[in-house]
Amino acid sequence: MAEFAAGAAAAAGFNLAGYNRSNYFQNLHLKQSRRFHRQQLITSQADLFRADVQQAIGASVAVQERLAVVSALLLGISAHAYGLNLPSSTFDFLDAVYYLSVSVSFVYFVVALCSATGAAMLARRC
């Protein structure tokens, strides 16, 4: 009878060890699948963030290109205004102020055109 009890105890021990082993591997599989799912969520969030950034940069490029076009047009207008002759009855002071303001606006639009072009190139490079 003692041998039977020892055999039964040994069989129960092997059965219990097999149960624990199968549970261990099942838990390991679940833990790995959860980790993989978490990593997939993180990468999908990163893809969404990247798409948002690309959309914002695309909008920025469009704005910078429009600014370059407007600056070029205003630069042409200021260059044309510099070539205009004021009436001969204009005071020398007003003549100097007019040419000073036109030349400053010309320089301002040159700087604006260079800045807008540079910003558009940098935004495209991102």
Side-chain angles (χ1 to χ4, degrees):
M1 179 91 166
E3 294 171 356
F4 178 72
F14 285 129
N15 191 17
L16 184 63
Y19 174 75
N20 283 339
R21 186 172 187 271
S22 67
N23 278 347
Y24 171 76
F25 284 120
Q26 185 179 5
N27 287 341
L28 184 65
H29 177 70
L30 287 174
K31 185 190 287 185
Q32 287 175 346
S33 67
R34 284 188 197 121
R35 184 181 302 147
F36 181 70
H37 183 66
R38 210 174 316 136
Q39 287 174 348
Q40 282 181 332
L41 286 175
I42 290 171
T43 56
S44 66
Q45 287 175 345
D47 289 340
L48 285 174
F49 178 71
R50 183 178 169 96
D52 290 344
V53 168
Q54 286 176 343
Q55 187 178 11
I57 287 174
S60 173
V61 168
V63 167
Q64 296 303 327
E65 287 174 350
R66 287 186 203 122
L67 286 175
V69 168
V70 168
S71 296
L73 291 174
L74 291 174
L75 181 65
I77 291 171
S78 66
H80 178 66
Y82 191 76
L84 293 178
N85 291 328
L86 295 177
S88 59
S89 61
T90 307
F91 296 112
D92 289 338
F93 171 73
L94 291 178
D95 195 30
V97 169
Y98 172 75
Y99 285 118
L100 178 68
S101 65
V102 168
S103 62
V104 167
S105 69
F106 182 81
V107 170
Y108 173 76
F109 290 128
V110 166
V111 170
L113 181 62
C114 292
S115 299
T117 306
M121 287 190 310
L122 286 176
R124 280 193 186 145
R125 194 166 44 175
C126 290

